[in-house]
């Protein structure tokens, strides 16, 4: 199985489809290929349907993409595969699979990709659908049962125990804020985050996550607001942040990796969809959209006070941990 999307969130929403295909595969396990920026190896280390996770490079200049295509074909040939599922409409993975002489190449078949796959593909009317809807259509077309689109990401027990112990003394409920995004237009400004943090009233503990790149930013937010019981958790490793999000009682943040990880942990996640389409694959995602809908610059039209109003009924709730 191969997917080309580079993000952490992309791995999460692909997971239910990976499981569905694995259930229909001999032995019930698959090899998953993704770009290294997806962090798929770390995220899927405890997923029982994944036999192995392999990385391949996909982006770059036209020359670099040509080189990557040749390398991908060689990597696929080494695996001695009987079949491959191409979970995107892009041409190059399908072409690489054909060059690697994989007999059964199942793909979406949208656009020119249809020339390199061996199944019928899905209808061209799906070309401009959200990628999640592409895969829903592919499961229906190939008659592979899709039991659920909830990711329910399994996490390593040792990491879960360590994070539980590290923050055991922190007052509940735990509210995690995901600062940062893959593009600035998807995130709030620093001023908006500071207004939100200053107005947030909770009897529990607030955690700021966003990876090392946002550590200084988180520290500045805390200093600017004098927020008590607020922890800069940007230094956590990705898998540790995933555990914290599963243990959390509430998440707030833009449409990004942490939002998807929170939903994958069964945590109510209020997503700020200012400039991107609303994600609908999980019942745990609660969309906050600006007036007029998502559009470029839409995050500036989501007011911190409005978000606080939306989440207020959840601020004292305790999540029942599975």
């Amino acid at each position: 199985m191969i997917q080309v999307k580079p993000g952490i969130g992309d791995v999460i929403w692909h997971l239910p489809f990976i499981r569905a295909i694995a259930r229909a595969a001999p032995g019930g396990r698959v090899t998953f290929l993704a770009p290294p920026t997806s962090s798929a190896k770390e995220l899927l280390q405890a997923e029982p349907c994944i036999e192995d996770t392999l990385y391949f490079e996909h982006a770059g200049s036209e020359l670099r993409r040509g080189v990557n295509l040749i390398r991908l074909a060689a990597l696929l040939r080494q695996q001695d595969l009987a079949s491959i599922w191409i979970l995107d409409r892009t041409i190059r993975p399908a072409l690489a699979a054909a060059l690697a002489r994989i007999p059964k190449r199942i793909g979406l078949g949208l656009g020119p990709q249809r020339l390199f796959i061996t199944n019928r593909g899905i209808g061209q009317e799906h070309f401009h659908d959200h990628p999640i809807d592409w895969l829903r259509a592919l499961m229906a077309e190939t008659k592979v049962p899709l039991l659920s689109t909830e990711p329910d990401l399994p996490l390593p027990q040792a990491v879960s125990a360590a994070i539980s112990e590290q923050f055991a003394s922190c007052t509940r409920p735990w509210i995690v804020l995901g600062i940062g995004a893959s593009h600035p237009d998807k995130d709030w400004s620093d001023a908006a985050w500071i207004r939100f943090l200053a107005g947030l009233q909770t009897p529990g503990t607030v955690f700021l996550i966003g990876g090392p790149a946002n550590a200084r930013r988180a520290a500045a937010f805390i200093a600017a607001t004098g927020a008590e019981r607020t922890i800069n958790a940007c230094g956590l490793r990705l898998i540790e942040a995933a555990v914290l999000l599963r243990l959390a009682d509430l998440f707030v943040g833009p449409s990004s990796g942490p939002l998807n990880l929170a939903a994958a942990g069964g945590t109510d996640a209020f997503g700020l969809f200012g400039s991107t389409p609303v994600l609908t694959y999980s019942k745990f995602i609660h969309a906050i959209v600006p007036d007029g809908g998502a559009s470029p610059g839409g995050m500036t039209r989501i007011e911190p006070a409005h978000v606080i109003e939306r989440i207020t009924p959840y601020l004292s709730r305790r999540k029942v941990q599975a």
Side-chain angles (χ1 to χ4, degrees):
M1 231 175 295
I2 183 168
Q3 70 97 358
V4 301
K5 299 190 183 308
I8 291 168
D10 299 314
V11 172
I12 297 304
W13 67 255
H14 273 89
L15 187 51
F17 299 97
I18 297 170
R19 290 186 183 126
I21 295 169
R23 282 192 297 270
R29 290 166 68 81
V30 297
T31 296
F32 183 58
L33 291 94
T37 52
S38 68
S39 299
K41 284 187 179 181
E42 185 176 4
L43 289 173
L44 301 180
Q45 61 184 282
E47 172 55 48
C49 82
I50 303 290
E51 179 73 30
D52 195 10
T53 301
L54 304 175
Y55 285 151
F56 72 98
E57 294 289 351
H58 183 70
S61 65
E62 287 302 315
L63 175 60
R64 175 54 58 187
R65 290 183 180 198
V67 171
N68 289 339
L69 171 64
I70 295 169
R71 288 177 173 170
L72 176 57
L75 175 61
L76 293 175
R77 193 175 296 117
Q78 291 169 6
Q79 305 308 307
D80 191 25
L81 301 172
S83 64
I84 186 168
W85 289 69
I86 301 144
L87 307 182
D88 197 85
R89 71 183 187 191
T90 187
I91 300 171
R92 279 171 287 136
L95 175 56
L99 292 172
R101 299 181 180 178
I102 299 173
K104 190 176 181 181
R105 304 180 299 276
I106 303 167
L108 300 170
L110 294 173
Q113 188 197 77
R114 188 177 294 271
L115 299 172
F116 303 104
I117 61 174
T118 56
N119 65 312
R120 185 171 63 176
I122 63 176
Q124 297 301 305
E125 68 272 14
H126 293 289
F127 192 89
H128 295 293
D129 288 355
H130 191 281
I132 294 176
D133 295 319
W134 294 343
L135 297 190
R136 285 190 174 110
L138 183 61
M139 297 299 99
E141 172 63 31
T142 55
K143 295 181 171 55
V144 171
L146 180 65
L147 304 182
S148 171
T149 56
E150 292 291 350
D152 192 17
L153 179 69
L155 297 166
Q157 290 185 357
V159 181
S160 297
I163 294 299
S164 295
E165 182 178 355
Q166 180 178 347
F167 298 118
S169 63
C170 295
T171 306
R172 289 280 188 173
W174 291 0
I175 300 168
V176 179
L177 309 182
I179 62 174
S182 58
H183 190 278
D185 196 43
K186 295 170 66 175
D187 192 14
W188 256 344
S189 67
D190 287 4
W193 273 117
I194 289 172
R195 292 203 308 275
F196 177 78
L197 193 58
L200 186 60
Q201 301 294 322
T202 173
T205 305
V206 177
F207 298 83
L208 305 184
I209 65 169
N214 285 288
R216 288 187 178 180
R217 196 174 173 216
F221 293 169
I222 295 171
T225 58
E228 297 181 1
R229 295 194 302 276
T230 301
I231 295 174
N232 183 347
C234 289
L236 293 177
R237 293 182 295 118
L238 176 60
I239 199 67
E240 293 172 331
V243 168
L244 177 62
L245 286 162
R246 179 172 281 278
L247 295 173
D249 300 291
L250 180 66
F251 171 84
V252 181
S255 179
S256 62
L259 170 70
N260 291 276
L261 286 171
T267 298
D268 282 307
F270 282 82
L272 312 180
F273 294 90
S275 62
T276 56
V278 171
L279 296 174
T280 60
Y281 69 85
S282 174
K283 66 182 180 182
F284 297 104
I285 294 178
H286 309 280
I288 297 179
V289 181
D291 291 339
S295 63
M299 289 296 289
T300 62
R301 292 185 283 114
I302 298 179
E303 287 294 329
H306 172 64
V307 178
I308 291 173
E309 182 180 356
R310 281 284 306 275
I311 68 172
T312 293
Y314 290 77
L315 289 177
S316 298
R317 293 186 184 181
R318 292 284 305 276
K319 174 184 171 183
V320 177
Q321 299 292 335

